[in-house]
Amino acid sequence: MQLSLTQPSSWILLLLLMTNLLLWKNAASVPMCAMRNARCFTFFEDTFELAGSLSHNISIEVSELFTEFEKHYSKVPGLRDKSPTRCHTSFLPTPENKEQARHTHYEALLKSGEMILDAWESPLDDLVSELSTIKNVPDKIISKVTDIKKKIDAVQKGVNSLMSTMLQNGDEEKKNPAWSRLPLLQSDNEDTRIRSSYGMISCLDNDFKKVDIYLNVLKCYMLKIDNC
């Protein structure tokens, strides 16, 4: 059965299937591949292809979510305060843009993507859980956040599997940045909850633009694509 890549569930299923194959076999030493357009694609190449395409799709959806949330709650006092929101991932030593990513070794670039994705695991759970408590939040926004969370989970599993299989660091202890905004998400003050959710979505938008850059630079590296 052929799955349509325009369906979110198909993206997730394909990526999880590919990462399970990576864990099942050491793809670096097994010359297995799939023929497409007269070219042999290895499991690694396929996984990077999927992860890069899905991360780009997620980045677009997060930006759309940010715009929709901002528009819906535009009248909340202080929502678009010009003082910058400090994201919990701000201190992570990761490339800031595409130019820096291109000059970063592929192992460090993959690690940067993993650090950001892992750092969002708990905050995203909290955002999905607490968003529905906000007054008059549109079902469309809740649905989009839930869908984005599922897709990010799939990309995270893919990147974690690549790190474990390619770099042999599966036993390395992970130290995720501290997450301390849950009390704001659970505040009795409605406007505080809205501003906190808005700040989180803004940070997620910024961070996933980075992840999108990293994975697509890596995709170009793995698939030897010029002018990427």
Side-chain angles (χ1 to χ4, degrees), residues 56-95:
H56 187 64
N57 176 269
I58 294 171
S59 181
I60 291 172
E61 290 190 14
V62 174
S63 293
E64 291 174 348
L65 170 67
F66 178 63
T67 299
E68 290 173 15
F69 194 94
E70 182 180 62
K71 182 178 180 180
H72 186 76
Y73 291 107
S74 60
K75 295 183 180 180
V76 172
L79 184 73
R80 289 177 283 191
D81 194 322
K82 291 184 178 179
S83 60
T85 299
R86 182 162 182 81
C87 304
H88 72 291
T89 55
S90 296
F91 81 95
L92 291 177
T94 59

Side-chain angles (χ1 to χ4, degrees), residues 127-220:
L127 181 63
V128 171
S129 174
E130 300 300 329
L131 195 61
S132 60
T133 68
I134 296 177
K135 185 178 180 180
N136 297 324
V137 62
D139 291 340
K140 182 180 180 181
I141 287 180
I142 294 177
S143 177
K144 181 162 284 189
V145 171
T146 303
D147 181 57
I148 287 171
K149 172 68 168 63
K150 290 178 181 178
K151 291 179 181 178
I152 290 178
D153 284 347
V155 173
Q156 181 187 16
K157 287 181 173 65
V159 170
N160 288 165
S161 296
L162 284 167
M163 286 291 297
S164 177
T165 308
M166 290 178 66
L167 309 183
Q168 303 297 316
N169 72 334
D171 295 330
E172 181 180 312
E173 183 180 356
K174 297 177 181 178
K175 296 180 180 180
N176 291 336
W179 165 243
S180 59
R181 293 182 65 88
L182 183 57
L184 294 177
L185 284 178
Q186 296 178 332
S187 171
D188 292 334
N189 185 284
E190 185 80 10
D191 288 349
T192 298
R193 295 207 302 277
I194 292 172
R195 285 192 293 266
S196 182
S197 297
Y198 176 78
M200 283 186 65
I201 296 171
S202 174
C203 289
L204 181 63
D205 184 34
N206 181 65
D207 280 347
F208 223 86
K209 281 182 171 64
K210 291 182 182 179
V211 173
D212 180 33
I213 289 172
Y214 303 163
L215 293 182
N216 279 285
V217 168
L218 285 166
K219 181 177 76 172
C220 290

Side-chain angles (χ1 to χ4, degrees), residues 30-48:
V30 179
M32 297 180 67
C33 67
M35 294 301 297
R36 293 203 309 273
N37 298 322
R39 180 179 175 183
C40 173
F41 280 75
T42 67
F43 287 144
F44 279 123
E45 290 173 328
D46 274 327
T47 303
F48 276 114

